[in-house]
Amino acid sequence: MTDYKREKEAGDRFSLHDAHIIAMDVDYDSGELRLVPQYGFVDTASDEMVDGEVIVTGVPPEDSYIYIMEYKNVLTGNVGGFVGEKMTLATFLDAFHSKFKAMDIMSTYHGYKNCFITGFLSRGDEDLEIYMDIFYRGDFIYRVREK
């Protein structure tokens, strides 16, 4: 029997935790998904916020799914009852700019060609919980603007 230790990926240098996403779009021809934070994301090497955006390539919008939960009689994010909806990434992106102010990312998990993003959506005076299950065939790129 052989043991294999999971090594940190190079992508662990950046974290989307606390990123406040104000724009999100996909180029359907190239399959490029773009997430634009208002004030950047965390560079874990320096423990500082950096300005930039995230580009995910090779995203088939019909094979990626979004789950939105609206809590009932309990504060969003706590244990309790909720109602929800599952939709494709394409359907969600069509509604993002018209129905939601922004998305605050709490965590990002990576698997093989899959990214799972959790956070909260702002809709009027209420917050909704969101889970994004993004399948991609290309790369997950943190595009950092130089100072």
Side-chain angles (χ1 to χ4, degrees), residues 11 14 16 19 21 23-28 30-37 40-41 51-60 89 93 105 108 110 113-115 117 132 134-145:
F14 298 100
L16 290 177
I21 305 298
M24 199 178 313
D25 57 60
V26 68
D27 179 330
Y28 291 103
S30 69
E32 184 175 284
L33 173 66
R34 189 171 65 100
L35 306 176
V36 181
F41 44 87
D51 188 23
E53 59 190 24
V54 172
I55 306 293
V56 187
T57 64
V59 175
L89 176 63
L93 291 175
I105 296 177
T108 306
H110 291 271
K113 298 298 181 184
N114 186 269
C115 179
I117 299 171
M132 301 179 76
I134 309 298
F135 171 71
Y136 60 97
R137 293 182 178 102
D139 297 307
F140 197 95
I141 303 163
Y142 295 92
R143 185 168 289 157
V144 178
R145 288 184 187 85

Side-chain angles (χ1 to χ4, degrees), residues 59-101:
V59 175
E62 297 299 330
D63 291 332
S64 296
Y65 297 95
I66 308 299
Y67 305 80
I68 298 177
M69 293 178 285
E70 182 178 352
Y71 285 81
K72 297 296 181 186
N73 303 318
V74 66
L75 292 174
T76 299
N78 290 309
V79 175
F82 62 86
V83 296
E85 182 179 356
K86 177 181 178 179
M87 64 191 78
T88 65
L89 176 63
T91 300
F92 173 73
L93 291 175
D94 287 343
F96 180 73
H97 294 288
S98 63
K99 292 186 178 181
F100 305 106
K101 293 184 207 171

